Amino acid sequence: MAPPAQSQRSPSPSQPSGKSEVSDLKLQLRQLAGSRAPGVDDSKRELFKKVISYMTIGIDVSSLFGEMVMCSATSDIVLKKMCYLYVGNYAKVNPDLALLTINFLQRDCRDEDPMIRGLALRSLCSLRVANLVEYLVGPLGSGLKDSNSYVRMVAVMGVLKLYHISASTCIDADFPSILKHLMLHDSDTQVVANCLSALQEIWSAEASTSEEASREREALISKPFIYYLLNRIKEFCEWAQCLVLELVTKYVPSDSSEIFDIMNLLEDRLQHANGAVVLATIRVFLQLTLSMTDVHQQVYERIKAPLLTLVSSGSPEQSYAVLSHLHLLVMRAPYVFSSDYKHFYCQYNEPSYVKRLKLEMLTAVANESNTYEIVTELCEYAANVDIPIARESIRAVGKIALQQYDVNAIVDRLLQFLEMEKDYVTAEALVLVKDLLRKYPQWSHDCIAVVGNISSKNVQEPKAKAALIWMLGEYSQDMQDAPYVLGSLVENWDEEHSAEVRLHLLTAMMKCFFNRPPETQSALGAALAAGIADFHQDVHDRALFYYRILRYNVSVAERVVNPPKQAVSVFADTQSSEIKDRIFDEFNSLSVLYQKPSYMFTDKEHRGPLEFADELGNLSIGEAANNVVPTQMVEENDKDLLLTTSEKEETKGSRNNGSAYSVPYDGSSTSVFASQTQIESAVSNPTLAGHSPQASFAIDDLLGLGIPAAPAVLSPPQLKLNTKAALDPSTFQQKWRQLPVALSQEISVSPQGAAALTAPQALLRHMQSHSIHCIASGGQSPNFKFFFFAQKFEESSNYLVECVINTSSAKAQVKIKADDQNTSQDFSTLFESALSKFGTS
Amino acid sequence: MPVAASAIYFLNLRGDVLINRLYRDDVGGNMVDAFRMHIMQTKELGTCPVRQIGGCSFFYMRISNVYVVIVVSSNANVACAFKFVVEAVSMFKSYFGGAFDEDAIRNNFVLIYELLDEIMDFGYPQNLSPEILKLYITQEGVRSPFSSKASDKPIPNATLQVTGAVGWRREGLVYKKNEVFLDIVESVNLLMSSKGSVLRCDVTGKILMKCFLSGMPDLKLGLNDKIGLEKESQMKSRPAKSGKTIELDDVTFHQCVNLTRFNSEKTVSFVPPDGEFELMKYRITEGVNLPFRVLPTIKELGRTRMEVNVKVKSVFGAKMFALGVVVKIPVPKQTAKTSFQVTSGRAKYNAAIDCLVWKIRKFPGQTEPTLSAEVELISTMAEKKSWTKPPIQMEFQVPMFTASGLRVRFLKVWEKSGYNTVEWVRYITKAGSYEIRS
């Protein structure tokens, strides 16, 4: 047996690595097993400790199972516990040996010490071996009736464990109704609490199939039961109180007096030392008063103080969890917190995840009376050592400016940022000045004066560069050297890596051309030529569009590209109010921290890039570090700025569903092809527009190179696939593990295909039309990963495919596994031909 | 469901597993690897304590040189999970007697497994109170040699006591000498602008108790807080005594405090747990007495020289003194040479944190020592503009002083046997985050 990787990686003296130690232990355990000598328990303890420590660091000690069981006949409780722990860990992989333990565990379940009864019962239920469940029912039944509350407490959880191993056994033994009885009548609150947890889980799971269960689940939030719990709430331990409060949020009181009764009863919970109880109480208050606007308002006032206390006490992690909730409330009702802004000032040593939330809250609570202080504070952070936070705070200043308070002073501040001569400060400030100008064109004069002094060489970040270029184009009339700055940028077209910047450059050149034609004409020609030759689809399209509209009519072009603009009054919100409400409904859970509703991260189809736990390690972390800005992002940026709220929500919505996305891409790829053929005919037409001869010459020259021919389409072989194949993910996973790789090869993807693959969904549709179905997909441009499957027509023979596509190199790594190895070559050809058609059909 | 944790791991800083306890089957066995690969070995570490990998969410906390990681697969209650970890760690500490670190875990791993079994069942938190747990998990932790040896007397029939009406105290305790120790510990947080105006200032305080009392005593604590005093004068229908009253912004109490009585009568009454516990926590933002004022002047003389003058004024009573005062004055990275003159204490340059560190062991009230330093810098080409100054930070402890002005007015102990008790009250104010921008 090879030593496990873990111990190799960490060769410390306490971590032995090999088989010899294990077999040594085995021998020693054997010697001790039968011994009755005094002091034998102590030496057993030492040995057991060793076994457990090996187990912890990941060494497989399952081979000692028999010996461990033999040694377990002891009255020493610590020894017993260690043995139980060991058995619980390895029973699952040794179901046959686990049978050996049943005997002594059952005997211990009848011990006279309640401690041992409880422990044995807990271990018995933790074996997790499906064919041993018959041995569980008896001990569990008597455990639930035990006179000692500790045993009952353990037995209740045991029922839940049994349910997860074998739901039918649990239901058949009628355990749920026994639990229900206990829940209503047991004197011990921990037993009641455990019953509540167990029944909630069991009935929720059963509700979909059994009407009775769903009725029972409803009964949990009925008035008598809720009142029964609320009246005893102080007797519960702090964790059980959280559980009860959680349940109360689901209860719908019949009238407002009931609501007040509950709130009065629970008000002192806001003073509980356990923050979790306080948060749970806050949730109850918020939920109960949702429909009563003024009371809801008062609730905000009431919970403010406890929340602020929770934030300022405890570890940074705890305060982060609370702060996220405060953040949610601040975003919902900023005016309530506007006088508390000083609580959101950042401390120097706070972790950045805390600072980031605080910055957002400072932005939200800014109003007429506190803007000056808040902006002054934010400007302090702009000089912060922590660069991401410095950036955020500059953005925050800009957002406040866009909220229209006291813009005068803020514009001055922003312009000061531009003069600070720190790359990142300049970059952020440029983006903000651009947005400000779009909202308050009246400031153009002051801003232009400062922006004009910034050398484009000092600006490297795409967003900032794009902002600068936008301003150069928009205000080319007022900026003396705009055409020349833009011109020099066009000369360095090839060194510009960001498509976003190139897009902006094209538009800015056009605007500049309309304002100052003689100075710009030659540079515009060069820009259009470079744009048409650009490998990026959007840049290419835009350049072509400009070129053709110019040729058609220059004044029409001006009306299209550079019409008089109206100031933007409202910038689109990034998150729809519907989503925000859903997050609010899930107060006091992960949703609030992730800032998305739970279905987005718990449902399988929303989970995104990583679906199989096994694959966790395989997708490399470097993925995110791609320099190429995917088209989708550029588009989104544009939309961010221009779309109205409702449109924005639509795009959000469709992305969340992840389904509608492939449609526009399929469409765009066809239209590209159509337009390219048209160019060829257009170019052969000798009547070219007069005003940009160089440009058209350049285009002529360029198009001479021709468009890369589409890869030859392979004729599909004689393998027929089932169009309606079905396979569930677990079977897929199982098969993927079992089958050997039949074929592994590299296929090239057509450039059109690579360009159209901006989101995994685009390819899924395409492959589905070829009867190849996707079971999991993920990744981000340029790396995508897919798992496909297909079934042979009228046979249940499966093909499984792992396909990793890199769109920047237009290559796909394909691994094929098949039930029927003989036809895998045929399938591979079929797959290859289907993939090669992607983006071309 | 509040937590339903699927697994708990303790890892050391290298990522070796120290403890690994799987509660539910809904997560894979390779969760530790996922945590190591996607959090520990990336820059993500420390950027956010809650992360989602695959279908699982990881909550992690670093406590001394150990990471405690909770894995869940559902939409769990994060605040509850973190609180659970904190409580569990303090419970472990009470078993090991002091530190919770890698060595303590390695030495006590069997005990930890035993405790993990009791405090959480199938992912649901169970009883976590150390007082109760110690009744039936009597195995003693391997204590560090510095801590005192605890008495080791297993109590028979422990489980019967677990679930009394007073879950935090067992019956039949007997002490020869009945004593109560009350510590009021406050930490002052300050953020002062370079112009000397207070941007933000608050005090978070806690009252810690150590009780060695026999039987089932009933305690009543009176403070000079505004609401409590007003209520009292109302009840006795005579005007409140003039004198300083404190307005508490928010108070939270240990579960032993009768909250209904607090809300109606505004008195803190309780049956205390045995031994040490935190009775209450409070927060104050109005009327804070700052113990120290810091007046810095930092001048940059050309590109290579700086002059630093810092005056620290103690504004508490002349008879009191502060202990362990440390003033950290940040200087640029390229500091080459420093020279100091101080009227009190000692100063030196610490290159590891880029600070001038000025320490004064004993700092009497109503004094104002100064530090003047000259700092020489290496001239560099890279540094274009003036360096961004982090704030000056201060550490201190002032015994017998409360920044909030809170005082204990009385502490009454009532027990049916009517024994006499000795009460000890101490006050101390510490620096929380005490920052002065320069």
Side-chain angles (χ1 to χ4, degrees):
Chain A
M1 185 182 72
Q6 254 175 14
S7 52
Q8 267 185 344
R9 228 173 21 75
S10 50
S12 79
S14 63
Q15 298 189 352
S17 52
K19 194 182 173 182
S20 61
E21 280 89 346
V22 177
S23 53
D24 203 34
L25 274 175
K26 194 172 189 153
L27 233 112
Q28 295 183 40
L29 280 170
R30 268 213 186 127
Q31 285 168 355
L32 286 178
S35 158
R36 292 246 179 272
V40 72
D41 274 354
D42 285 341
S43 30
K44 271 189 193 171
R45 262 198 201 196
E46 285 311 308
L47 281 179
F48 274 35
K49 266 189 190 173
K50 253 186 209 163
V51 173
I52 303 283
S53 77
Y54 286 1
M55 190 176 88
T56 299
I57 58 174
I59 293 174
D60 184 12
V61 283
S62 60
S63 56
L64 302 176
F65 205 99
E67 286 73 17
M68 287 293 280
V69 174
M70 275 196 277
C71 283
S72 59
T74 168
S75 54
D76 185 293
I77 195 157
V78 177
L79 263 181
K80 262 193 200 302
K81 281 186 184 174
M82 283 196 269
C83 186
Y84 293 154
L85 180 71
Y86 174 88
V87 168
N89 236 321
Y90 287 111
K92 209 181 172 188
V93 285
N94 285 317
D96 303 336
L97 286 168
L99 193 61
L100 296 175
T101 62
I102 292 284
N103 228 333
F104 83 84
L105 282 174
Q106 275 186 330
R107 198 180 54 234
D108 283 352
C109 282
R110 294 187 296 270
D111 199 281
E112 47 181 57
D113 183 351
M115 203 66 214
I116 293 192
R117 287 206 298 275
L119 285 172
L121 191 57
R122 184 184 290 150
S123 311
L124 196 59
C125 298
S126 306
L127 291 179
R128 291 175 288 192
V129 180
N131 52 11
L132 297 183
V133 288
E134 51 186 301
Y135 301 102
L136 290 185
V137 179
L140 267 180
S142 44
L144 289 171
K145 291 191 209 86
D146 201 289
S147 59
N148 189 290
S149 61
Y150 179 79
V151 184
R152 290 200 302 276
M153 192 172 95
V154 170
V156 172
M157 288 325 267
V159 170
L160 183 57
K161 288 173 195 161
L162 171 65
Y163 179 80
H164 280 271
I165 307 166
S166 163
S168 57
T169 318
C170 178
I171 303 289
D172 291 346
D174 208 23
F175 281 137
S177 57
I178 301 177
L179 290 196
K180 189 181 165 193
H181 181 85
L182 271 181
M183 181 169 70
L184 294 174
H185 302 285
D186 204 289
S187 58
D188 185 308
T189 48
Q190 191 60 49
V191 176
V192 176
N194 283 0
C195 285
L196 185 58
S197 323
L199 285 177
Q200 270 186 302
E201 257 192 59
I202 293 175
W203 281 335
S204 300
E206 287 289 305
S208 55
T209 53
S210 147
E211 237 176 76
E212 197 203 331
S214 76
R215 252 201 325 278
E216 293 285 6
R217 192 172 59 153
E218 289 307 308
L220 283 181
I221 49 171
S222 65
K223 187 169 172 175
F225 184 65
I226 292 286
Y227 276 48
Y228 162 76
L229 290 177
L230 281 178
N231 288 328
R232 295 182 73 180
I233 193 160
K234 282 163 204 166
E235 299 162 27
F236 285 97
C237 80
E238 41 200 343
W239 314 106
Q241 287 187 14
C242 295
L243 192 75
V244 171
L245 290 168
E246 195 97 349
L247 190 70
V248 175
T249 51
K250 295 191 193 127
Y251 172 63
V252 186
S254 54
D255 54 28
S256 54
S257 72
E258 216 186 327
I259 293 179
F260 288 119
D261 284 349
I262 295 179
M263 292 210 294
N264 284 332
L265 185 71
L266 291 180
E267 188 167 8
D268 58 17
R269 294 298 104 193
L270 290 175
Q271 265 136 18
H272 200 283
N274 187 323
V277 175
V278 177
L279 262 186
T281 314
I282 287 174
R283 181 173 183 203
V284 174
F285 279 33
L286 288 172
Q287 287 291 338
L288 284 179
T289 57
L290 259 185
S291 55
M292 311 157 79
T293 324
D294 351 337
V295 188
H296 198 61
Q297 217 56 50
Q298 288 166 21
V299 166
Y300 270 92
E301 293 289 346
R302 176 66 187 85
I303 62 181
K304 217 158 72 173
L307 271 175
L308 290 171
T309 307
L310 279 181
V311 168
S312 61
S313 55
S315 66
E317 289 88 354
Q318 281 175 288
S319 89
Y320 170 70
V322 180
L323 207 57
S324 303
H325 289 85
L326 191 61
H327 177 263
L328 178 75
L329 297 178
V330 168
M331 292 298 155
R332 278 177 82 85
Y335 45 91
V336 178
F337 297 89
S338 54
S339 57
D340 303 289
Y341 62 93
K342 286 191 175 174
H343 285 282
F344 309 141
Y345 282 4
C346 300
Q347 281 158 26
Y348 188 71
N349 290 331
E350 275 171 336
S352 56
Y353 50 81
V354 169
K355 283 184 182 162
R356 195 161 292 131
L357 284 176
K358 284 189 166 178
L359 286 179
E360 281 178 30
M361 290 194 274
L362 277 176
T363 318
V365 299
N367 65 11
E368 291 87 342
S369 58
N370 60 19
T371 298
Y372 180 77
E373 279 88 3
I374 291 182
V375 170
T376 311
E377 182 68 14
L378 286 172
C379 290
E380 287 281 341
Y381 308 147
N384 203 302
V385 227
D386 185 355
I387 292 175
I389 291 302
R391 283 171 178 276
E392 292 273 349
S393 48
I394 298 171
R395 262 176 245 153
V397 173
K399 272 189 209 150
I400 294 176
L402 291 177
Q403 282 166 8
Q404 224 174 11
Y405 303 118
D406 194 16
V407 179
N408 247 327
I410 301 179
V411 171
D412 287 347
R413 292 271 172 71
L414 279 179
L415 295 179
Q416 281 170 18
F417 285 150
L418 285 179
E419 288 162 352
M420 265 172 72
E421 285 186 36
K422 287 201 174 182
D423 293 347
Y424 59 91
V425 177
T426 314
E428 289 297 334
L430 270 177
V431 176
L432 286 177
V433 170
K434 178 202 71 177
D435 285 348
L436 270 181
L437 284 177
R438 292 176 60 214
K439 189 163 180 184
Y440 311 109
Q442 65 268 29
W443 289 104
S444 63
H445 228 78
D446 303 63
C447 298
I448 293 311
V450 183
V451 171
N453 291 333
I454 294 173
S455 159
S456 61
K457 290 188 188 67
N458 290 345
V459 182
Q460 288 308 324
E461 284 167 45
K463 274 209 150 179
K465 218 168 179 178
L468 181 63
I469 291 172
W470 182 85
M471 284 187 274
L472 284 168
E474 194 66 32
Y475 298 97
S476 48
Q477 200 67 273
D478 308 320
M479 289 207 248
Q480 272 304 315
D481 50 354
Y484 310 104
V485 177
L486 290 172
S488 73
L489 284 167
V490 171
E491 277 169 33
N492 297 323
W493 183 277
D494 292 337
E495 286 151 37
E496 184 51 62
H497 296 296
S498 158
E500 186 189 3
V501 174
R502 297 200 300 271
L503 283 170
H504 274 276
L505 190 53
L506 278 174
T507 311
M509 284 307 294
M510 288 290 278
K511 289 179 187 164
C512 192
F513 173 72
F514 296 126
N515 289 332
R516 302 160 74 172
E519 291 161 279
T520 322
Q521 191 177 349
S522 65
L524 175 66
L528 287 176
I532 290 171
D534 204 279
F535 71 93
H536 195 279
Q537 205 70 69
D538 287 357
V539 180
H540 170 86
D541 285 6
R542 191 178 286 189
L544 202 60
F545 167 69
Y546 285 161
Y547 166 63
R548 286 158 72 199
I549 200 168
L550 277 175
R551 226 190 36 184
Y552 173 72
N553 186 329
V554 178
S555 62
V556 170
E558 176 156 18
R559 275 202 316 251
V560 171
V561 181
N562 198 22
K565 284 197 183 53
Q566 281 189 332
V568 183
S569 57
V570 181
F571 282 79
D573 207 344
T574 46
Q575 208 168 31
S576 79
S577 55
E578 189 223 349
I579 288 189
K580 283 181 187 161
D581 283 345
R582 288 196 73 151
I583 297 174
F584 182 72
D585 286 340
E586 291 172 342
F587 195 84
N588 202 14
S589 74
L590 267 174
S591 313
V592 179
L593 278 93
Y594 289 148
Q595 299 188 358
K596 50 188 172 187
S598 62
Y599 72 85
M600 283 193 190
F601 58 92
T602 49
D603 288 8
K604 287 233 160 48
E605 62 263 39
H606 294 288
R607 227 180 256 163
L610 304 156
E611 298 232 328
F612 293 151
D614 290 20
E615 294 296 328
L616 275 177
N618 300 350
L619 292 178
S620 79
I621 300 151
E623 271 176 359
N626 56 328
N627 309 330
V628 188
V629 179
T631 40
Q632 189 190 335
M633 264 168 69
V634 178
E635 263 188 27
E636 283 217 331
N637 287 339
D638 283 0
K639 281 176 192 155
D640 267 342
L641 302 175
L642 296 173
L643 283 187
T644 63
T645 323
S646 67
E647 275 175 305
K648 180 72 189 170
E649 275 170 31
E650 250 173 52
T651 31
K652 265 276 162 179
S654 66
R655 196 164 63 157
N656 298 342
N657 297 335
S659 57
Y661 232 73
S662 57
V663 183
Y665 290 101
D666 281 351
S668 72
S669 57
T670 36
S671 71
V672 166
F673 231 65
S675 65
Q676 275 176 336
T677 33
Q678 271 171 20
I679 307 163
E680 264 174 321
S681 60
V683 171
S684 58
N685 187 341
T687 52
L688 283 164
H691 69 268
S692 58
Q694 285 154 315
S696 60
F697 172 73
I699 293 166
D700 240 342
D701 189 38
L702 271 158
L703 294 182
L705 296 172
I707 305 152
V713 177
L714 301 160
S715 63
Q718 292 307 309
L719 178 71
K720 281 217 162 162
L721 296 177
N722 182 359
T723 49
K724 293 195 177 71
L727 197 67
D728 64 291
S730 56
T731 327
F732 183 93
Q733 263 181 290
Q734 198 187 353
K735 277 189 183 292
W736 187 259
R737 276 200 212 101
Q738 288 166 350
L739 293 171
V741 178
L743 263 173
S744 172
Q745 64 188 97
E746 191 177 85
I747 308 179
S748 46
V749 184
S750 70
Q752 290 85 358
L757 188 63
T758 47
Q761 283 76 10
L763 183 62
L764 304 193
R765 292 244 164 146
H766 172 81
M767 295 308 276
Q768 200 155 15
S769 67
H770 291 268
S771 307
I772 297 167
H773 306 270
C774 180
I775 197 143
S777 65
Q780 268 188 339
S781 183
N783 289 307
F784 293 95
K785 183 167 192 172
F786 301 88
F787 285 95
F788 293 108
F789 70 92
Q791 271 167 7
K792 213 190 260 186
F793 188 60
E794 286 176 347
E795 272 179 70
S796 62
S797 168
N798 291 304
Y799 301 97
L800 313 180
V801 186
E802 180 198 81
C803 177
V804 181
I805 301 182
N806 184 309
T807 50
S808 57
S809 65
K811 292 273 191 266
Q813 305 287 342
V814 178
K815 270 186 209 158
I816 297 176
K817 301 188 180 184
D819 284 341
D820 177 8
Q821 303 280 343
N822 300 329
T823 54
S824 56
Q825 186 57 50
D826 282 351
F827 175 75
S828 153
T829 341
L830 201 72
F831 185 84
E832 196 179 336
S833 97
L835 193 63
S836 68
K837 283 183 200 151
F838 178 60
T840 61
S841 53
Chain B
M1 62 189 79
V3 179
S6 299
I8 291 187
Y9 299 106
F10 295 10
L11 305 176
N12 69 7
L13 296 185
R14 280 192 310 184
D16 299 337
V17 186
L18 303 175
I19 296 284
N20 132 27
R21 183 75 177 84
L22 207 65
Y23 285 109
R24 294 170 82 100
D25 267 348
D26 54 358
V27 296
N30 55 357
M31 284 297 126
V32 188
D33 298 330
F35 179 77
R36 268 199 291 256
M37 188 172 304
H38 291 271
I39 298 177
M40 287 194 84
Q41 293 169 4
T42 64
K43 286 183 191 144
E44 299 286 334
L45 191 66
T47 56
C48 185
V50 180
R51 272 290 309 276
Q52 191 185 17
I53 303 170
C56 297
S57 291
F58 290 72
F59 312 153
Y60 62 97
M61 270 179 131
R62 184 175 160 175
I63 294 159
S64 76
N65 55 1
V66 177
Y67 283 104
V68 180
V69 188
I70 285 194
V71 187
V72 300
S73 65
S74 56
N75 186 18
N77 180 340
V78 189
C80 192
F82 278 134
K83 181 72 188 170
F84 177 82
V85 172
V86 171
E87 292 283 301
V89 167
S90 77
M91 191 262 301
F92 290 142
K93 277 184 184 165
S94 83
Y95 265 95
F96 313 154
F100 176 83
D101 54 21
E102 189 179 344
D103 288 337
I105 293 171
R106 283 196 193 278
N107 291 335
N108 291 292
F109 72 93
V110 174
L111 175 64
I112 293 178
Y113 274 123
E114 252 185 81
L115 288 167
L116 282 177
D117 246 9
E118 295 299 331
I119 61 176
M120 194 170 249
D121 202 354
F122 209 49
Y124 290 102
Q126 307 285 314
N127 204 333
L128 235 104
S129 150
E131 295 309 309
I132 303 299
L133 282 168
K134 276 181 188 162
L135 295 183
Y136 53 97
I137 298 201
T138 48
Q139 199 194 147
E140 211 183 316
V142 179
R143 287 174 170 262
S144 53
F146 305 104
S147 65
S148 59
K149 180 122 168 76
S151 57
D152 180 25
K153 37 179 179 185
I155 285 120
N157 253 339
T159 50
L160 291 176
Q161 318 224 0
V162 177
T163 50
V166 183
W168 54 85
R169 189 180 179 90
R170 59 173 192 260
E171 284 177 50
L173 288 167
V174 180
Y175 288 96
K176 242 185 228 163
K177 195 175 173 189
N178 290 293
E179 279 181 308
V180 187
F181 296 86
L182 204 62
D183 277 330
I184 298 187
V185 183
E186 295 195 339
S187 63
V188 208
N189 299 309
L190 170 76
L191 181 59
M192 194 178 266
S193 78
S194 50
K195 295 184 185 70
S197 60
V198 175
L199 293 174
R200 188 195 153 173
C201 171
D202 61 62
V203 172
T204 53
K206 49 189 173 185
I207 300 187
L208 304 173
M209 274 194 114
K210 228 187 273 179
C211 283
F212 303 108
L213 297 172
S214 317
M216 278 287 184
D218 228 326
L219 271 68
K220 208 163 147 186
L221 174 72
L223 301 167
N224 62 338
D225 71 299
K226 205 170 175 183
I227 317 167
L229 282 175
E230 271 169 15
K231 192 83 190 179
E232 193 173 300
S233 61
Q234 258 175 37
M235 304 229 311
K236 291 178 184 166
S237 65
R238 64 176 150 93
K241 270 181 263 168
S242 58
K244 200 173 174 207
T245 58
I246 307 298
E247 199 167 345
L248 302 175
D249 280 22
D250 185 48
V251 203
T252 58
F253 294 105
H254 186 267
Q255 56 169 341
C256 69
V257 175
N258 185 334
L259 293 173
T260 333
R261 231 159 118 191
F262 176 76
N263 281 335
S264 60
E265 298 165 28
K266 298 291 168 198
T267 51
V268 184
S269 56
F270 54 98
V271 178
D274 192 38
E276 221 175 318
F277 70 102
E278 185 182 293
L279 176 68
M280 62 183 267
K281 259 201 301 249
Y282 56 89
R283 186 168 54 83
I284 290 169
T285 43
E286 298 298 323
V288 176
N289 313 316
L290 290 175
F292 290 100
R293 290 253 165 198
V294 181
L295 308 164
T297 40
I298 297 177
K299 273 188 243 159
E300 289 179 46
L301 310 169
R303 290 168 64 89
T304 57
R305 242 159 49 80
M306 268 175 50
E307 210 178 79
V308 178
N309 282 296
V310 179
K311 186 194 273 182
V312 180
K313 249 177 160 166
S314 56
V315 280
F316 44 86
K319 284 180 189 160
M320 289 190 267
F321 51 85
L323 297 173
V325 178
V326 181
V327 186
K328 290 181 189 157
I329 306 147
V331 289
K333 268 206 168 355
Q334 66 269 30
T335 298
K337 216 176 121 189
T338 51
S339 59
F340 300 96
Q341 270 189 320
V342 287
T343 57
S344 170
R346 254 190 227 171
K348 64 175 185 203
Y349 166 59
N350 183 338
I353 52 170
D354 295 316
C355 278
L356 306 179
V357 181
W358 179 21
K359 289 184 182 168
I360 303 165
R361 211 169 279 161
K362 196 168 170 181
F363 195 134
Q366 302 298 335
T367 55
E368 38 179 275
T370 56
L371 167 145
S372 50
E374 252 182 54
V375 179
E376 278 178 43
L377 309 175
I378 308 165
S379 68
T380 52
M381 301 300 286
E383 201 72 7
K384 266 189 290 189
K385 274 269 158 173
S386 68
W387 134 89
T388 56
K389 297 174 205 159
I392 294 179
Q393 295 185 312
M394 252 190 105
E395 294 165 19
F396 54 78
Q397 295 188 351
V398 193
M400 300 323 285
F401 173 83
T402 52
S404 64
L406 193 80
R407 283 279 178 269
V408 172
R409 288 171 45 245
F410 58 81
L411 176 66
K412 290 175 187 157
V413 181
W414 185 88
E415 219 277 335
K416 52 180 183 269
S417 63
Y419 53 71
N420 285 326
T421 50
V422 187
E423 294 110 25
W424 305 89
V425 180
R426 280 194 300 187
Y427 301 92
I428 192 164
T429 293
K430 295 178 183 170
S433 143
Y434 211 81
E435 297 179 349
I436 298 100
R437 290 183 184 152
S438 52

